[in-house]
């Protein structure tokens, strides 16, 4: 993209925005400071039960994962952090990993525990972890989470994300109330082990890998448990963890209203927990979610700084790094579009019951091409004008294959 095209489109947009009383430079600063964490488990080709097709040049260890995130940070300026998953990413040498991350200007966002797989621990999680009827297995799962906190403390993380696969596949298999009670008691032991400046992000999911009941299936169950744990326990919203046609922006508004929104796992989906590229299927929903977020923060329902922003995706057909470049871009665009909503006009319409007018205000913002703003925020931060173009022009994947090999497989899903 010729730079002058960018300049012209930015000039036209800033004319449009100042006509609405919006300060382009203020918006560019807001967008530039909005950083999204990248998951350590989404740097290789993701698989499904029907197969996994390697992409070539996948990172072979945590150092190489940090290199890939460092590259994304440098060319997009949309990410400055990694979210690690334990045991997939246990640092063999903590000091080396800290130095590597510091050299790449990457910080460690929330840590993720894993009690949904067996990876050589003494007792199996087949029939559940924190909710397991066997107190020894619950104890093992609690200790795993406390270990994850210890690793995170050394790396400078300030959060623990707990997602439980726990549940059942058939009626009668589980005692639903006892499973909930055991889960809550186990989480209380974990919460007690949480450093005072950490938060616990409790992720819900309606189904998969269990297909009859899941102990924490929805935002309400997660919120009820968080209330019992304490004020530093809040609800993590993974966009793919909702039954079809769920109004996710209303869930976000409700959680902000209660100051109980921990953060996001951004992705998109058509049917289930598809973990597709954010904004690739339902961009208007993503925009509406950001409208609730920016308005909730402006009206002090919950502070912007208290919310964690992370991607959680799986790449079965795309190059993981290209997919992440696209996701970072579409999240930034949804945020930018929410910033250009004419709030005064919308509030007026809501007060007057002008339903048509209200939709006009929202869609005017959604249909505003904010790409010049996001581009300008990136280049003012030292990023590439066109990160995807740069990635392809520089043949980064080809170079990774030469350096790492064609059949390397990154740890993760
Ligand atoms: C569960 C989930 C969770 C992660 C896993 C990789 O579906 O969203 O956040 O632990 O994906
Ligand atoms: Mn998730």
């Amino acid at each position: 993209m010729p730079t002058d095209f960018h300049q012209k489109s930015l000039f036209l947009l800033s004319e449009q925005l100042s006509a609405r009383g919006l300060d382009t430079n203020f918006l560019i600063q807001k967008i530039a400071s909005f950083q999204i964490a990248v998951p350590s488990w989404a740097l290789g080709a993701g698989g499904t039960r029907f197969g996994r097709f390697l992409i070539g040049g996948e990172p072979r260890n945590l150092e190489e994962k940090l290199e890939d995130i460092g590259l994304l940070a440098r060319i997009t300026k949309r990410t400055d952090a990694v979210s690690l998953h334990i045991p997939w990413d246990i640092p063999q040498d903590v000091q080396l990993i800290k130095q590597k991350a510091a050299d790449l200007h990457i910080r460690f966002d929330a840590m993720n525990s894993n009690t949904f797989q067996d990876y050589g621990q003494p007792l199996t999680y087949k029939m559940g972890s924190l909710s397991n009827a066997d107190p020894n297995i619950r104890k093992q799962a609690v200790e795993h989470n406390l270990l994850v906190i210890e690793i995170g403390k050394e790396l400078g993380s300030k959060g623990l994300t707990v997602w439980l696969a726990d549940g059942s596949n058939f009626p009668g298999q589980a005692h639903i109330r006892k499973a909930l009670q055991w889960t809550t008691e186990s989480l209380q032991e974990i919460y007690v082990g949480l450093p005072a400046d950490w938060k616990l992000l409790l992720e819900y999911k309606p189904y998969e890998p269990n297909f009859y009941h899941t102990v924490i299936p929805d935002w309400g169950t997660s919120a009820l448990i968080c209330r019992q744990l304490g004020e530093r326990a809040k609800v993590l919203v993974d966009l793919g963890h909702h039954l079809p046609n769920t109004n996710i922006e209303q869930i976000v508004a409700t959680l902000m209203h209660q100051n109980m929104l921990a953060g996001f796992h951004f992705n998109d989906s058509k049917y289930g927990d598809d973990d597709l590229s954010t904004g690739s299927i339902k961009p208007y929903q993503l925009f509406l979610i950001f409208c609730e977020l920016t308005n909730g923060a402006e009206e002090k329902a919950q502070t912007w700084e208290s919310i964690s922003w992370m991607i959680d995706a799986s790449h079965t057909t795309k190059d993981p790094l290209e997919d992440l470049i696209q996701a970072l871009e579409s999240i930034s665009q949804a945020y930018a579009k929410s910033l250009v909503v004419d709030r005064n006009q919308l509030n007026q319409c809501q007060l007057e019951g002008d339903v048509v007018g209200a939709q006009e205000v929202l869609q005017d913002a959604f249909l505003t091409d904010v790409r010049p703003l996001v581009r300008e925020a990136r280049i003012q931060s030292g990023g590439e004008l066109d990160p995807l173009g740069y990635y392809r022009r520089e043949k980064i994947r080809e170079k990774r294959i030469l350096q790492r090999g064609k059949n390397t497989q990154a740890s993760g899903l």
Side-chain angles (χ1 to χ4, degrees), residues 41 85 112 161 163 203-205 236-241 264-267 273 275 311-313:
W41 60 91
H85 220 296
N112 297 266
T161 294
W163 167 65
E203 186 174 3
Y204 57 88
K205 183 174 181 177
L236 177 67
V237 178
D238 183 312
L239 299 188
H241 292 183
F264 289 89
H265 276 181
F266 290 116
N267 49 55
D273 187 20
D275 279 345
I311 290 173
D312 179 2

Side-chain angles (χ1 to χ4, degrees), residues 39 80 94 99 173 177 230 303 313 316 320 366 407:
D80 67 349
V94 171
Q99 191 53 53
Q173 173 188 335
R177 283 185 293 103
T303 65
T316 51
F366 180 68
N407 300 314

